[in-house]
Amino acid sequence: MTDTKITLPESEIPTHFYNIAADLPTPLAPPLHPATREVVGPDALAPLFPSGLIAQEMASDRWIEIPDQVREIYRLYRPSPVFRARAFEEALDTPARIYYKSEHVSPVGSHKLNTAIMQAWMNKQEGVKRLATETGAGQWGSALACASKLVGLECMVYMVRVSYDQKPYRRVMMKTYGADVVASPSTLTEAGRSALAANPDSPGSLGLAISEAVEDAAGRDDTKYALGSVLNHVLLHQTIIGQEARKQMELAGDYPDILIGCHGGGSNFAGLVFPFLADKVSGARKNLRAIAVEPRSCPSLTAGKREYDFGDAVGLTPLLMMHTLGHTFMPAPVHAGGLRYHGSAPLVSHVLDAGLIEAEAYDQAEVFASAVAFARSEGTIPAPESAHAIHATVRHALAAREAGTSPVILFNLSGHGIFDLAAYDSFLSGRINGK
Amino acid sequence: MTDTKITLPESEIPTHFYNIAADLPTPLAPPLHPATREVVGPDALAPLFPSGLIAQEMASDRWIEIPDQVREIYRLYRPSPVFRARAFEEALDTPARIYYKSEHVSPVGSHKLNTAIMQAWMNKQEGVKRLATETGAGQWGSALACASKLVGLECMVYMVRVSYDQKPYRRVMMKTYGADVVASPSTLTEAGRSALAANPDSPGSLGLAISEAVEDAAGRDDTKYALGSVLNHVLLHQTIIGQEARKQMELAGDYPDILIGCHGGGSNFAGLVFPFLADKVSGARKNLRAIAVEPRSCPSLTAGKREYDFGDAVGLTPLLMMHTLGHTFMPAPVHAGGLRYHGSAPLVSHVLDAGLIEAEAYDQAEVFASAVAFARSEGTIPAPESAHAIHATVRHALAAREAGTSPVILFNLSGHGIFDLAAYDSFLSGRINGK
């Protein structure tokens, strides 16, 4: 019997984040001020983020050290295992060798905790007392609530009203971690009060919740803002995923031919892929394929344009150069809430344009069918977001059988689906069709 | 930095189950036929269980081999880590060294999968096509549904109506694994139809659901019945927990002074404790304490009598010699559904009477307070059942500070609480008081 899980000791928790900005063939386009369209400097971000994170956002060093105290907290769940998906391979009857990095093992159930811990710690170091953020479905809010408590910060989460009402368990999880959670629009901010004045029954939106959190943080000396994806420093923190996976694939005696991650804002995809992509940039692994997988209903990479656009829905943030469907784009209500973002991280957009990665889009019915097949082979029920990576894996594994090849596929299982069983119920009851 | 997680390679998955029956100071009282009160032989159990499991139920060998194919499936999540709870120790300001075995890492979120896999595999070996079982809150049903799919059996779950309606996510999880799930009472059995005739709106009960599953299994040649706790063979399978933990404590350079597990039917407690208890029986570790923790509302060990009683609520099963509150006892509706059982496993009852273990009972409000403190230190939100073990750990850790001692405490984190966030909501909103 060979091992199913490829594990690493805690001493192999990465000591540095990998900054792909140092290895890009062309430099990244900088963010612009929304009004003046001039390049945004560190000062413009200071009301919202601590200086240590702003420095990481703009850093050009290849390696950025991870503080010992942060690595200490990572020990709660890292290194995460890489699984060889033998049972899934058998179920698919494929000659492909399929591996998955299991980020769902974190206490909050997803990779989001990786950056939440680093962000909370840096804020704590700089004397911040309290973090404000927004959350839609609740993944990011749960991660930041947990990380804030672990480092000793207060946490304020503006949760989109419709999720607040329909997804009470994520809200309870955040409160269990000691966070304050309010439905957005709330009466706590100007933005919230205006929205409520216009419509007392407003269901809220992610854009509005961002406005509330940003207003909260900008208006209080003791509070900063935290974001769960898109920005350079967030993707940077997630590179511990791919660094661990590289070592684990070495232990398995395999190197991936195809890397696959689902894509919403881009952080779990970048986290897995960027540390391998250095090999493609250097020419050592010219044929390495890296595939970002998005829902057909929100196809920023496969159908969006690369241009300067706002990061949020209402136009408050700096302009970012990214693949976007337009910041007013309203994706159809798919169950993979974490993939419902109009744009893509500037770094992911950049490497897509540079031809270093590919993108694919799938319908949710086929995605859920693959998710159920995975659960029935491997036991773990995947998050609907991660299920997009699983479905792409299925497609490439079956194509390999047709082609008579046996590629090594590594995908990122970014989260479990225990909070998403209502979506599985819809699928199993035949209420999910097409997109 | 020292490691937070004490891990073992897959090669250290135990090769044998440990059968404490071989080491008991006095022999276990046998089960009796409910009508004749004569000792029940293997034949009486044959309509319900495969012969391999009946043999394990009655075995007197100290070590019982685990089939290679079963160990292969265990690789999906075993060996499970032992955590050193440093952050929790700090939060409690205790000189105690606290460790926990983490059975919540299984794909279904609890230790129940350990026996479900072994039971499903043995049934499959003997040509059974389909398993029938009951489930209350859904932990056991989820585990058997998953295990059945992994080995290739059909699975039929009779889920107590009130849980079926109030806990839809567990039901969806079972269906995701391909199981058939019906609300009990159902129209599929005589027992169900009679109950519905008497009361079409019957909320059901665990006793009635057992009757339905037993009737289903007894009436079909292709189907057997499976039980998730109480019986000897179920406790036997769980001893892989304690065997792994022994090796892990050795690696940590510590031997537990106090072992703690929550107690409902007795399987997670026995699983952790029995492999250590051999040292107490032999005299090598005379002072080892092992504490079973139950809810004050269902105190079978601390307030029940040891006598022959039925294993189920309606009086269908053989009579078992156990600590019991009487098979008609109706526990108050506490949130730790898995601990709402009127009796205790015969083996646990036996070692309690032999003075080898102790029992403690706590109120649920204090239990939830400890659970929240744990989540805020260690990240993981515990199941309300496991929170009983955590609360006892807190009590003994604080007592150690008072006494100026520094005991080594090892408890079993038998499951996570992601399906139980409604109960946390009740607690955080002040709706849980007293018992």
Side-chain angles (χ1 to χ4, degrees):
Chain A
M1 291 191 287
T2 59
D3 282 3
T4 295
K5 301 181 293 298
I6 304 145
T7 57
L8 293 173
E10 290 176 16
S11 55
E12 297 278 6
I13 292 173
T15 56
H16 292 73
F17 299 119
Y18 167 65
N19 182 14
I20 198 171
D23 289 324
L24 293 176
T26 56
L28 195 64
L32 304 183
H33 190 280
T36 66
R37 295 187 74 95
E38 285 179 7
V39 172
V40 167
D43 292 355
L45 300 173
L48 296 184
F49 301 107
S51 63
L53 293 180
I54 297 172
Q56 291 184 350
E57 182 68 20
M58 306 196 160
S60 55
D61 317 77
R62 182 171 289 111
W63 297 104
I64 294 172
E65 193 167 4
I66 305 176
D68 277 351
Q69 296 97 320
V70 170
R71 296 178 69 230
E72 187 67 38
I73 302 174
Y74 284 153
R75 288 167 183 270
L76 283 175
Y77 63 101
R78 306 207 70 85
S80 70
V82 163
F83 282 74
R84 171 78 186 267
R86 282 186 202 283
F88 195 42
E89 290 170 15
E90 265 177 50
L92 296 174
D93 187 22
T94 174
R97 297 200 289 289
I98 301 175
Y99 296 85
Y100 56 97
K101 181 69 169 165
S102 58
E103 291 298 306
H104 69 291
V105 303
S106 90
V108 299
S110 84
H111 70 291
K112 294 279 184 191
L113 194 56
N114 297 332
T115 184
I117 289 169
M118 181 63 217
Q119 291 190 47
W121 183 86
M122 189 69 91
N123 276 284
K124 176 80 176 175
Q125 279 299 105
E126 298 193 20
V128 174
K129 301 290 180 214
R130 182 171 167 276
L131 288 175
T133 198
E134 72 288 337
T135 200
Q139 280 278 20
W140 168 242
S142 302
L144 194 69
C146 180
S148 296
K149 181 54 74 178
L150 294 178
V151 307
L153 289 179
E154 292 172 54
C155 183
M156 177 77 209
V157 182
Y158 294 87
M159 185 172 190
V160 177
R161 160 64 75 184
V162 61
S163 297
Y164 186 91
D165 292 336
Q166 289 176 3
K167 303 197 167 178
Y169 294 136
R170 277 284 178 196
R171 165 166 54 85
V172 178
M173 187 180 215
M174 293 184 261
K175 288 188 171 178
T176 300
Y177 290 131
D180 289 317
V181 187
V182 291
S184 167
S186 76
T187 57
L188 303 180
T189 66
E190 266 306 312
R193 287 188 292 270
S194 320
L196 287 171
N199 176 10
D201 299 322
S202 166
S205 71
L206 199 57
L208 183 55
I210 293 177
S211 305
E212 289 208 89
V214 165
E215 181 185 330
D216 180 316
R220 287 180 58 156
D221 280 349
D222 65 347
T223 301
K224 295 283 184 193
Y225 171 70
L227 194 70
S229 190
V230 180
L231 297 182
N232 300 344
H233 70 274
V234 181
L235 273 58
L236 179 77
H237 302 158
Q238 296 296 355
T239 59
I240 56 180
I241 299 171
Q243 290 185 67
E244 289 177 7
R246 278 185 69 108
K247 291 182 188 164
Q248 288 163 311
M249 293 305 294
E250 248 183 75
L251 287 173
D254 264 334
Y255 188 96
D257 297 298
I258 308 177
L259 293 164
I260 298 178
C262 66
H263 180 274
S267 77
N268 100 79
F269 172 78
L272 175 70
V273 165
F274 283 3
F276 287 94
L277 222 49
D279 291 346
K280 191 175 171 82
V281 173
S282 75
R285 295 282 180 174
K286 276 187 208 161
N287 297 324
L288 173 64
R289 298 180 66 185
I291 302 168
V293 189
E294 56 189 13
R296 186 101 64 193
S297 61
C298 193
S300 59
L301 296 177
T302 53
K305 285 186 206 161
R306 184 154 174 248
E307 60 190 15
Y308 272 111
D309 194 9
F310 296 104
D312 65 329
V314 287
L316 289 176
T317 69
L319 291 160
L320 303 172
M321 175 57 84
M322 60 182 179
H323 279 272
T324 175
L325 298 159
H327 64 279
T328 58
F329 177 81
M330 257 299 169
V334 292
H335 288 287
L339 306 186
R340 294 182 71 217
Y341 181 65
H342 67 274
S344 162
L347 277 169
V348 172
S349 298
H350 191 93
V351 295
L352 178 65
D353 253 37
L356 292 169
I357 66 166
E358 308 162 49
E360 296 177 355
Y362 294 106
D363 293 339
Q364 62 169 330
E366 55 184 342
V367 164
F368 269 102
S370 292
V372 168
F374 181 81
R376 291 179 179 182
S377 306
E378 300 286 317
T380 296
I381 298 179
E385 289 84 358
S386 317
H388 287 73
I390 293 172
H391 182 63
T393 299
V394 169
R395 293 286 294 256
H396 287 273
L398 297 183
R401 191 179 62 199
E402 294 305 307
T405 58
S406 52
V408 174
I409 303 176
L410 169 63
F411 72 86
N412 199 12
L413 186 60
S414 54
H416 67 59
I418 304 301
F419 284 97
D420 305 284
L421 287 167
Y424 279 87
D425 195 24
S426 296
F427 173 71
L428 293 167
S429 315
R431 297 196 303 274
I432 291 182
N433 296 300
K435 288 191 186 177
Chain B
M1 292 189 286
T2 59
D3 282 2
T4 294
K5 301 180 293 298
I6 304 144
T7 57
L8 294 172
E10 290 175 17
S11 55
E12 296 280 3
I13 292 173
T15 56
H16 292 74
F17 299 119
Y18 167 64
N19 182 14
I20 197 170
D23 288 325
L24 293 176
T26 56
L28 194 66
L32 304 182
H33 190 279
T36 66
R37 295 188 74 93
E38 285 181 6
V39 172
V40 167
D43 292 355
L45 300 173
L48 295 185
F49 301 107
S51 63
L53 293 179
I54 296 172
Q56 292 183 349
E57 182 68 21
M58 305 195 161
S60 55
D61 317 78
R62 182 171 289 111
W63 297 105
I64 294 172
E65 193 167 4
I66 305 176
D68 277 350
Q69 297 96 321
V70 169
R71 296 178 70 230
E72 187 68 36
I73 302 175
Y74 283 153
R75 288 168 183 269
L76 282 175
Y77 63 101
R78 303 207 73 84
S80 71
V82 163
F83 282 74
R84 171 77 185 269
R86 282 186 202 283
F88 196 41
E89 289 170 16
E90 266 178 48
L92 296 173
D93 187 23
T94 175
R97 296 199 291 287
I98 302 175
Y99 296 84
Y100 56 97
K101 180 70 169 166
S102 57
E103 291 299 305
H104 69 292
V105 303
S106 89
V108 299
S110 85
H111 70 292
K112 294 280 183 190
L113 194 56
N114 297 332
T115 183
I117 289 169
M118 181 64 215
Q119 291 190 46
W121 183 87
M122 189 69 92
N123 276 284
K124 176 80 176 175
Q125 280 299 105
E126 298 192 21
V128 174
K129 301 290 181 212
R130 182 172 168 276
L131 288 174
T133 197
E134 72 288 336
T135 200
Q139 281 277 20
W140 167 242
S142 302
L144 195 69
C146 181
S148 296
K149 181 53 73 178
L150 293 179
V151 307
L153 289 179
E154 293 173 54
C155 183
M156 176 79 209
V157 183
Y158 294 87
M159 185 173 192
V160 178
R161 161 64 76 183
V162 62
S163 296
Y164 186 91
D165 291 337
Q166 289 176 2
K167 302 196 168 180
Y169 295 136
R170 278 284 177 196
R171 165 166 54 85
V172 178
M173 187 180 214
M174 293 183 261
K175 288 188 171 179
T176 301
Y177 290 131
D180 289 317
V181 188
V182 291
S184 167
S186 77
T187 56
L188 303 179
T189 67
E190 266 305 312
R193 287 188 292 269
S194 321
L196 288 171
N199 175 10
D201 299 322
S202 166
S205 71
L206 198 57
L208 183 54
I210 293 177
S211 306
E212 289 208 89
V214 166
E215 180 185 331
D216 180 317
R220 288 180 58 157
D221 281 349
D222 65 347
T223 302
K224 295 284 183 192
Y225 172 70
L227 194 69
S229 190
V230 179
L231 297 182
N232 300 345
H233 70 275
V234 181
L235 274 58
L236 179 77
H237 302 158
Q238 296 294 356
T239 60
I240 56 179
I241 300 172
Q243 289 185 68
E244 288 177 6
R246 277 186 71 107
K247 290 182 190 166
Q248 288 163 312
M249 293 305 293
E250 248 182 74
L251 287 174
D254 264 334
Y255 188 96
D257 298 299
I258 309 176
L259 294 164
I260 298 178
C262 67
H263 180 272
S267 76
N268 100 80
F269 172 78
L272 176 70
V273 165
F274 283 3
F276 287 94
L277 222 50
D279 291 346
K280 190 174 172 83
V281 173
S282 74
R285 296 281 180 174
K286 276 186 209 163
N287 297 323
L288 173 64
R289 298 180 67 185
I291 301 169
V293 189
E294 55 189 13
R296 186 102 64 195
S297 60
C298 193
S300 58
L301 296 176
T302 55
K305 285 186 206 163
R306 184 154 174 247
E307 60 190 15
Y308 272 111
D309 193 10
F310 296 104
D312 66 329
V314 288
L316 288 176
T317 69
L319 290 160
L320 303 172
M321 174 59 83
M322 62 181 178
H323 279 274
T324 175
L325 297 160
H327 64 280
T328 58
F329 177 82
M330 256 300 169
V334 292
H335 287 287
L339 306 185
R340 294 182 70 217
Y341 181 65
H342 67 274
S344 162
L347 278 168
V348 172
S349 298
H350 190 93
V351 296
L352 178 66
D353 252 38
L356 292 170
I357 67 165
E358 307 162 50
E360 296 176 357
Y362 294 106
D363 294 338
Q364 62 169 330
E366 54 184 342
V367 164
F368 270 102
S370 292
V372 168
F374 180 81
R376 290 177 181 183
S377 307
E378 299 287 318
T380 297
I381 299 179
E385 290 83 357
S386 317
H388 286 74
I390 292 172
H391 182 63
T393 299
V394 169
R395 293 287 294 256
H396 287 274
L398 296 183
R401 191 179 61 197
E402 294 304 307
T405 57
S406 53
V408 174
I409 304 176
L410 169 63
F411 74 86
N412 200 12
L413 186 60
S414 54
H416 67 60
I418 304 300
F419 284 98
D420 305 284
L421 287 167
Y424 279 87
D425 195 25
S426 297
F427 173 71
L428 293 168
S429 315
R431 297 195 304 273
I432 292 182
N433 296 299
K435 288 191 186 179

